[in-house]
Amino acid sequence: MGITVLLADDQAMIRRGLRLILEDQPDITVIGEAADGLEAVALARRLRPDVCLVDIRMPRVDGIQVTRALAGPGVVDPLRVVVVTTFDLDEYVYGALHGGAAGFVLKDAGPALLVEAVRAAHAGDALVSPSITVRLLRHLTAITTSRSGAPRALSDRETEVARAVARGRTNQEIAAELFISLSTVKSHVAGVQHKLGLRNRVEIAVWAWENGLLRAT
């Protein structure tokens, strides 16, 4: 069946549009739709989709609560959740990422990025795109309390890799920039996640911005 997806959005027109975009891909199938957060949680637990695409603003239970219920700390068998957000309004994305989201996309980001986010989540990774992530994280650093400096637990090379991840670089790009092998990059990314207790690249990016590894330019 390829990648199975559950859509959760209170607007039927949005769900229809998302379904058309996703099912235009030969490897993606939408297996369910939910019009509010409670329905999303119930359907996700019953259908066990590969990826849940969840609007952050929904009736009864919002996207943050849905994310925590399906993918948050303490969930025995977590699902992969991608949050859909409107950048100008949704500082709540910060809570969603820490609640276990595997990424986020803007509603007006376009079909290609939506598909990329779903595939990244399915692969166990998280979408970190320079065109979106850097803008969002810059916004978040303005409303959150920054902590200065990187923990001593990270080596200099791990710090460089974390900085590159926060800039939206792929593993291949990091390898080329730092003149190291792809397997070494993957090892460093795994090491950063382990040492900092982070679950994916999005959390690495958030951590890097919070800790001043990048300047919000």
Side-chain angles (χ1 to χ4, degrees):
M1 186 180 290
I3 304 171
T4 57
V5 177
L6 171 71
L7 302 177
D9 194 294
D10 61 328
Q11 298 183 52
M13 186 176 297
I14 296 294
R15 296 198 306 274
R16 189 176 305 116
L18 294 174
R19 177 184 282 271
L20 288 173
I21 291 170
L22 295 175
E23 293 199 329
D24 190 46
Q25 305 300 313
D27 59 332
I28 299 177
T29 302
V30 176
I31 60 171
E33 296 184 17
D36 63 59
L38 286 180
E39 185 182 8
V41 172
L43 269 180
R45 287 173 173 168
R46 177 165 61 86
L47 299 177
R48 303 294 302 178
D50 295 318
V51 179
C52 302
L53 200 62
V54 177
D55 184 21
I56 205 164
R57 292 179 177 269
M58 291 186 291
R60 299 205 289 177
V61 173
D62 65 26
I64 296 176
Q65 293 172 291
V66 171
T67 300
R68 289 173 181 163
L70 298 178
V75 176
V76 175
D77 191 9
L79 293 168
R80 291 162 183 161
V81 178
V82 174
V83 173
V84 181
T85 179
T86 302
F87 172 75
D88 289 338
L89 299 175
D90 291 330
E91 298 92 358
Y92 310 113
V93 173
Y94 179 82
L97 294 177
H98 281 279
F104 57 87
V105 292
L106 304 183
K107 283 191 174 180
D108 60 355
L113 193 61
L114 177 71
V115 171
E116 183 184 352
V118 169
R119 288 182 176 145
H122 178 251
D125 208 338
L127 180 69
V128 179
S129 169
S131 62
I132 291 182
T133 306
V134 171
R135 287 173 54 202
L136 178 61
L137 293 174
R138 182 176 59 205
H139 180 67
L140 291 175
T141 54
I143 62 171
T144 58
T145 302
S146 295
R147 296 183 292 272
S148 60
R152 294 180 181 177
L154 292 189
S155 67
D156 290 342
R157 182 64 85 186
E158 287 170 337
T159 300
E160 289 179 320
V161 169
R163 184 181 292 112
V165 168
R167 287 181 175 137
R169 304 293 194 264
T170 65
N171 285 346
Q172 290 82 357
E173 290 169 337
I174 296 172
E177 287 180 5
L178 300 182
F179 302 101
I180 56 180
S181 69
L182 183 60
S183 62
T184 300
V185 173
K186 292 179 179 178
S187 177
H188 284 317
V189 171
V192 170
Q193 291 179 197
H194 175 71
K195 288 181 177 180
L196 301 179
L198 306 176
R199 288 173 294 181
N200 54 50
R201 295 169 78 91
V202 171
E203 291 190 358
I204 291 176
V206 171
W207 174 87
W209 279 87
E210 287 181 336
N211 285 275
L213 268 66
L214 296 171
R215 289 186 178 274
T217 57

